[in-house]
Amino acid sequence: MAGLFALAPQGALAAGIGEANTTIFGPRVYVFDPTMPAGDITNVANTVFQKLESAEFSSERYALLFKPGNYNVNFNVGFYTHVAGLGQNPDDVHFNGGVNVNADWDNGNATRNFWRALENYSVTPSNGQTQIAVSQAAPLRRLHIKGQLHLFDFDSNWNAGWASGGFLADSIVDSQVVPASQQQWLSRNSQWASWNNGVWNMVFVGCNNAPSGQFPEPPYTVITKTPIIREKPYLYVRNSGQYDVFVPALQTNTQGVSWANGTTPGQSVSIDQFHIARPETATAASLNTALSQGKHLLFTPGIYRLDDTLRVNNANTIVLGIGVATIIPTTGKVAMAVADVDGVKLAGLTFDAGPVNSPTILEVGPTGSSRDHTANPTSLHDITVRTGGATNGRYDVGIKINSNQVIGDHFWLWRADHGTGAGWTSNVSKNGLVVNGQQVTLYGLFNEHHNEYQTLWNGNGGRVYFYQSEIPYDVPNQPVWMSKNGTVNGYASYKVADSVTTHEAWGLGVYSFFRDAAVKLESAIEVPNVSGIKLHSATTIWLTGTPGSEITHVINGTGGRVYANTPATAMRQTVAEFVGTGTGTGNGGTGAALVRTGWTATSSPTSGDVPANLLDGSMSTRWSTGTAMVPNQSLTLDMKATTTFNKIVMDGTGSNDDYPRGYAVYVSADGTNWGSAIATGTGSGPVVTVSFTARSARYIRVVQTGTASSWWSMREFNVYY
């Protein structure tokens, strides 16, 4: 690709400025120095903006990076542009003038101002206000705005145009923040002089001077402290001129910015420890070789089409993207897979679905991950997964989190409603996010338009701070969009599995625009009705749509329907607090044995008393090992589909000494990965009952852990819920 200056006026080639894109990061990264002429820097930034102002699905990518110092510049930031200071702290790089995002290209409508990033600098706006009118996938981090911050733009008639963002973290605004028509917003670990207003869903976590008021009017949800966070890693320049990546430390129970008392706590990693990827030369093989050698990865701006999974197997690996670096799997494999190891950091990465269906785009921990990562969790920052839009593609799951204690810090998982490939049977994605890990914490989850559940949460102890979701626009008719074996209208946007006993979420907004049919969704949010489930500040919105379409309820049949723009209650419904009672449907179990039709059983060893006898409903037949009890004998049940259960009963009556002297119970989704035992114990009689926290799995395995001269045998094996 030619350098940008080939497209710029000759005046942009003043002394010094020509070196801005000749660094180790390649021609799409411009590194500016305060000694360079301000006019030339502005010319470069404006040239990039002119190319990308309205280029919603461009293949071009740029990073505009500024070394420490003062800059008298004023420019706008368009699509696929990353503007960042290279100081260790935000005030090390200071702009006098302005760095702004407007929506002039769409007459003030910022609902499509996606895919850009602003971080790690301070700005004194020449007119007193910085305008950053953005929506999803446009994170604002480590900013010090010495004036007002406006999060919207005006149309040509001076009406406030819509915006559908957004995310602000680790930032200070000296004056007022004015969201105006901004529909929703998450602010984390930030502060301002005042916050002006809110529309539908504004969440504040660990912020100083958060606004007062109570959801739903005003629509504020305030959490005083951030329970656990590691701020996003970032590139900076040491005083010696060497590039490093700074990795902020893990912190708990924080309020305010990480740099309030000096440098953010953490450690620096030399750029020499990174493999610097360029799109014109990178291959999956070369990247995996670097990872296997213990290197970190830094993706420079561009599009990376990869024919194999990137395997992040080493603890504490950093994978950092700059300039909206974009990865596309081309052969139907997982794009990136992280092992069940400590402390991996993934940041600033965009993934596009590839032309061949992938089972998952980003997998964090393999199936069955069980390690405890409390002391050093994996963290994911500014991760975007797209299905269609720029290029057609498909997958089953966007992000699957199997590891425990993972921290997510700003996701946008978007199945395109417009652009290339956008169609119900074209850019198919079943789920944006599936969480199987325990104690996973997410801040800023934007998840939209997928064909089934947008979010499916299977792990216990999950926490979500801010959720924004539009359900799919393009459902063609009701019969193709029915959950629970065709018995319930639609798929809830936010689905917590029936087996989960503890989960908490704050600030959940689910919106509908059923563009193509009069489709109904029974409940925007489905959760088990148990005492460990707590939801705060949930809302549904009917944006527009085919007459007769609706979201019927907010949570579990609670909350009124939204179906029109007027009256106000037809457009917006809210549930301020939902706490499970432990007696409702969806969890707790019925105590009845599950129907075993089609189930099969195998054992090791197997005798003439075959395992099928366990499932035949007859007390006159039995299964046995045909030999004395020793450790590691096993019995495996295949229920043929994922099933929720909380108890098994092994009935060995008739041969009363054949009960297991010791047992361990395992479950599996695939019959291969079993993880740790969910229950262990010692039998004491012919009927052994094992109860445990409800699980969802296809397979159950009981392993004999004791020793006895008797055979291990039983008449019937029943599973209960």
Side-chain angles (χ1 to χ4, degrees):
M1 173 182 166
L4 184 61
F5 289 105
L7 304 175
Q10 287 298 309
L13 292 172
I17 192 69
E19 301 300 312
N21 69 333
T22 58
T23 68
I24 59 174
F25 305 114
R28 301 165 193 83
V29 177
Y30 288 78
V31 178
F32 300 110
D33 186 285
T35 64
M36 295 176 180
D40 294 341
I41 295 172
T42 300
N43 284 343
V44 172
N46 285 341
T47 301
V48 171
F49 176 68
Q50 289 162 11
K51 294 172 65 177
L52 294 177
E53 177 184 9
S54 60
E56 185 177 6
F57 297 117
S58 174
S59 60
E60 297 203 43
R61 307 281 189 274
Y62 293 100
L64 308 181
L65 309 181
F66 293 80
K67 290 183 177 180
N70 292 301
Y71 297 84
N72 296 312
V73 297
N74 197 326
F75 61 90
N76 291 315
V77 181
F79 284 101
Y80 305 107
T81 305
H82 179 186
V83 177
L86 291 174
Q88 186 156 12
N89 297 311
D91 288 331
D92 293 343
V93 173
H94 182 242
F95 297 111
N96 287 296
V99 180
N100 297 286
V101 178
N102 64 35
D104 293 351
W105 70 280
D106 200 18
N107 191 29
N109 179 0
T111 56
R112 290 186 290 159
N113 267 7
F114 313 137
W115 306 313
R116 63 201 80 194
L118 308 175
E119 64 180 322
N120 202 34
Y121 60 80
S122 63
V123 57
T124 300
S126 55
N127 64 353
Q129 63 190 40
T130 290
Q131 178 185 71
I132 306 179
V134 292
S135 290
Q136 296 90 337
L140 316 179
R141 293 182 180 271
R142 296 176 62 80
L143 301 180
H144 186 184
I145 295 174
K146 300 182 178 183
Q148 288 191 342
L149 172 60
H150 290 194
L151 301 175
F152 72 104
D153 201 355
F154 290 103
D155 67 15
S156 56
N157 294 316
W158 292 100
N159 298 307
W162 287 114
S164 186
F167 181 87
L168 174 73
D170 207 20
S171 295
I172 295 176
V173 180
D174 287 352
S175 188
Q176 186 176 58
V177 178
V178 183
S181 53
Q182 184 67 253
Q183 295 167 348
Q184 63 272 316
W185 195 272
L186 172 66
S187 299
R188 180 184 59 67
N189 290 95
S190 295
Q191 69 181 57
W192 37 76
S194 62
W195 186 277
N196 187 66
N197 72 290
V199 177
W200 292 327
N201 184 27
M202 300 282 175
V203 179
F204 308 88
V205 186
C207 292
N208 291 323
N209 204 26
S212 60
Q214 188 66 40
F215 183 90
E217 295 298 341
Y220 299 153
T221 305
V222 178
I223 300 93
T224 304
K225 292 190 175 181
T226 300
I228 186 167
I229 193 65
R230 178 189 289 124
E231 295 293 346
K232 178 190 171 189
Y234 58 92
L235 187 68
Y236 81 107
V237 178
R238 285 184 177 272
N239 292 335
S240 64
Q242 173 186 311
Y243 291 103
D244 280 2
V245 170
F246 191 80
V247 182
L250 184 70
Q251 295 186 297
T252 58
N253 296 317
T254 56
Q255 187 173 19
V257 299
S258 67
W259 43 278
N261 299 314
T263 299
T264 298
Q267 63 177 352
S268 294
V269 180
S270 170
I271 199 67
D272 295 337
Q273 297 183 42
F274 282 78
H275 174 84
I276 299 175
R278 300 264 198 96
E280 61 269 22
T281 57
T283 64
S286 65
L287 297 172
N288 278 325
T289 296
L291 288 167
S292 69
Q293 293 171 345
K295 288 279 193 177
H296 306 290
L297 293 185
L298 189 146
F299 284 91
T300 62
I303 296 176
Y304 297 79
R305 293 177 172 84
L306 303 178
D307 61 1
D308 198 6
T309 302
L310 297 184
R311 299 176 181 88
V312 183
N313 292 329
N314 295 322
N316 300 309
T317 300
I318 305 161
V319 182
L320 177 63
I322 61 174
V324 199
T326 303
I327 297 169
I328 305 177
T330 60
T331 60
K333 296 183 179 180
V334 174
M336 183 178 292
V338 179
D340 192 26
V341 296
D342 276 355
V344 172
K345 297 94 180 171
L346 308 182
L349 299 172
T350 294
F351 296 87
D352 272 338
V356 182
N357 189 74
S358 292
T360 303
I361 296 296
L362 172 60
E363 182 181 74
V364 183
T367 299
S369 293
S370 59
R371 293 185 58 187
D372 188 307
H373 302 288
T374 303
N376 186 16
T378 284
S379 56
L380 316 171
H381 313 265
D382 299 341
I383 304 296
T384 295
V385 179
R386 306 189 301 189
T387 324
T391 181
N392 195 19
R394 54 201 299 148
Y395 57 76
D396 292 335
V397 178
I399 299 178
K400 182 180 288 185
I401 299 176
N402 295 316
S403 288
N404 299 327
Q405 291 93 31
V406 170
I407 300 169
D409 189 37
H410 182 229
F411 295 170
W412 190 33
L413 314 173
W414 183 66
R415 176 179 168 265
D417 56 281
H418 63 284
T420 299
W424 183 250
T425 59
S426 177
N427 62 327
V428 174
S429 54
K430 291 182 180 179
N431 314 112
L433 174 70
V434 174
V435 177
N436 297 318
Q438 310 295 308
Q439 299 171 353
V440 171
T441 302
L442 301 185
Y443 304 94
L445 172 54
F446 301 77
N447 194 4
E448 305 189 284
H449 308 152
H450 307 283
N451 296 71
E452 297 183 9
Y453 297 120
Q454 312 301 298
T455 298
L456 176 57
W457 204 290
N458 298 313
N460 271 317
R463 295 177 294 189
V464 172
Y465 297 86
F466 181 90
Y467 181 70
Q468 186 267 329
S469 178
E470 289 178 346
I471 45 185
Y473 291 0
D474 54 346
V475 182
N477 56 69
Q478 191 73 64
V480 303
W481 201 56
M482 299 286 290
S483 61
K484 298 185 178 179
N485 297 317
T487 62
V488 174
N489 285 340
Y491 286 83
S493 171
Y494 194 89
K495 170 68 175 177
V496 179
D498 294 348
S499 59
V500 172
T501 57
T502 55
H503 186 89
E504 194 163 8
W506 293 259
L508 302 101
V510 178
Y511 308 160
S512 73
F513 170 29
F514 289 119
R515 186 187 59 202
D516 299 337
V519 178
K520 301 181 190 300
L521 171 60
E522 174 63 18
S523 288
I525 301 164
E526 287 183 4
V527 295
N529 189 20
V530 295
S531 59
I533 305 295
K534 300 176 183 179
L535 305 178
H536 316 275
S537 307
T539 187
T540 52
I541 306 291
W542 195 86
L543 297 170
T544 185
T546 303
S549 64
E550 69 179 34
I551 303 176
T552 309
H553 299 290
V554 183
I555 306 170
N556 286 17
T558 300
R561 67 189 183 108
V562 291
Y563 58 92
N565 292 131
T566 57
T569 54
M571 181 177 181
R572 182 179 185 231
Q573 287 285 323
T574 62
V575 173
E577 295 290 333
F578 177 94
V579 179
T581 64
T583 60
T585 59
N587 205 348
T590 64
L594 302 181
V595 176
R596 300 176 296 176
T597 302
W599 293 12
T600 58
T602 56
S603 67
S604 176
T606 298
S607 71
D609 298 323
V610 295
N613 292 342
L614 292 167
L615 306 172
D616 63 4
S618 171
M619 296 299 284
S620 63
T621 62
R622 64 189 309 115
W623 158 81
S624 77
T625 57
T627 187
M629 277 182 261
V630 295
N632 295 320
Q633 294 170 335
S634 65
L635 171 66
T636 302
L637 194 69
D638 181 357
M639 298 179 286
K640 299 302 181 182
T642 299
T643 305
T644 301
F645 51 93
N646 58 10
K647 183 173 70 175
I648 62 172
V649 176
M650 298 176 279
D651 187 344
T653 53
S655 294
N656 289 353
D657 289 332
D658 287 4
Y659 59 86
R661 296 308 191 265
Y663 61 80
V665 180
Y666 299 81
V667 299
S668 172
D670 57 8
T672 300
N673 298 285
W674 293 92
S676 302
I678 64 167
T680 58
T682 302
S684 58
V687 178
V688 178
T689 300
V690 187
S691 298
F692 37 81
T693 301
R695 305 286 174 151
S696 290
R698 174 175 170 175
Y699 299 88
I700 303 172
R701 176 171 289 168
V702 182
V703 177
Q704 164 73 247
T705 61
T707 302
S709 59
S710 300
W711 297 359
W712 182 24
S713 77
M714 67 185 78
R715 285 176 166 174
E716 290 291 303
F717 188 109
N718 274 294
V719 183
Y720 288 77
Y721 182 58

